[in-house]
Amino acid sequence: MSDTFAPLRHAPFRNLAIGTFVTRLGNGVAPIALAFAVLDLTGSVRDLGLVVGARSLCNVLFLLYGGVIADRLPRHRVILLTGVMAAVTQGAVATLVLTHTASIGTLMALGAVNGIVTAFELPAASALIPQTLPAGLLQQANALNRFGINGAMIGGASLGGILVAAVGPGWGLAADAATFALGAALFARIRLTAPAERPRARGNPLGELRVGWTEFRSRTWLWVVVVAFTFMNAAWVGAVGVVGPSLADASIGRGAWGVVLAGQTAGMLVGALVAMRLRIRRLLFVGCACMLGWVPFLVALAEAPVLVVLLPAAFLGGLAVEQFGVAWETTMQRHIPADKLARVYSYDMLGSFIAIPLGQVVAGPVALAAGDAAAVLGAAGIVLAGTLFMLASRDVRQLVIEPAPAPEPPAAAPADPEATGEPAASEAAAPR
């Protein structure tokens, strides 16, 4: 196995990465299956919005508390429990749909529970990666993990369409529940080989959130990037998710639009492979600069919506954004103290996600008032301004990742299945 795939030699990371791949494969199926299940039930797009919105709202509301829990408890136990709970909730949804006993109220309630479960899983899974292998392999590990997630979402979307067409949305939701159960089985196999971490004093949740907030705001590079992405993500989802289909309908057609979006995801897959091999000390600066790659795609969508232009622009945009993704994960894991990492991740995720619904809501009225092309060009301007805002920060430009010690061969798993703790590599993480 080449050095590129060296993280997979470490059993804890391997089980985490494969388990994540499996669950994300199911998550690729779920939106398609759920959408058609709701439409079969009531035929109302409004009802579909209520079901999806209940999940998103609860996810955002509980993200910060999810970060607190992931810093209090063994993170591999947290993702194991969330995997089991997700399997149960999605299994319940599938059963209701298959037995024709579902209602919008019950689907909203189960969606809300699933959103809460995800709020606990996301910061725990991200913060767990540094515990599963040496610090010197973090960049390759993050790239491999993201490669698997992107590939799973592509495969899951395709599988979802096939399952819904062949056997119905209920069985698609059942397949999603099965992937969570399989993922939980893989998470149960994670054994952390480091010495048990020293117990730390636990305050009340609000006090622990304040500690996480202090860690977050004390690093200029961190909050600058999150503030920029608050606006950039909102602009992107509004332009590509809301206005983009309208422009495609009037130009290249729906089928070609699907090809363009697939091209973007293909670029992300290739981008992960590229990111595995980069050896750059100012990794965050390079990652932020790569976000300029979103701009040509948005400009092409507004000014030249033809397949021969959009497809390569989408591919390059996907490749570029993946450089940022890997740089961001690696930088956080190397510079944030291990015992506060999940809480800092939860603030990052909250800031990144919170304006997305606003971008989706505002995009339509803006497009109606100014025109589709002008709305997308406005989004391109926001992305450009956000990227320049990040690059203007001296902390972003000058933050470096020092070379980590050469990784040692993975140790055998301990006989005691309850062994937990932080690896020596994670203990090296410290504030700047």
Side-chain angles (χ1 to χ4, degrees), residues 224-225 227-229 231-232 288 291-292 379-392:
V224 162
V225 171
V227 167
F229 269 88
F231 295 94
M232 291 165 64
C288 290
M291 288 309 304
L292 292 170
I382 292 172
V383 170
L384 177 60
T387 304
L388 294 178
F389 174 71
M390 293 188 293
L391 297 179

Side-chain angles (χ1 to χ4, degrees), residues 286-382:
V286 173
C288 290
C290 284
M291 288 309 304
L292 292 170
W294 266 2
V295 176
F297 173 68
L298 292 173
V299 172
L301 180 60
E303 298 294 334
V306 293
L307 188 60
V308 70
V309 175
L310 284 175
L311 186 56
F315 178 87
L316 291 174
L319 190 152
V321 74
E322 200 63 13
Q323 306 314 302
F324 170 81
V326 173
W328 183 243
E329 297 285 347
T330 305
T331 301
M332 287 190 66
Q333 292 162 7
R334 289 291 299 276
H335 284 274
I336 305 299
D339 62 334
K340 302 177 180 68
L341 182 56
R343 277 169 287 174
V344 175
Y345 261 122
S346 68
Y347 279 107
D348 163 38
M349 293 171 182
L350 180 64
S352 299
F353 298 164
I354 195 167
I356 287 177
L358 179 62
Q360 293 168 323
V361 170
V362 169
V366 170
L368 287 173
D372 288 353
V376 173
L377 285 175
I382 292 172

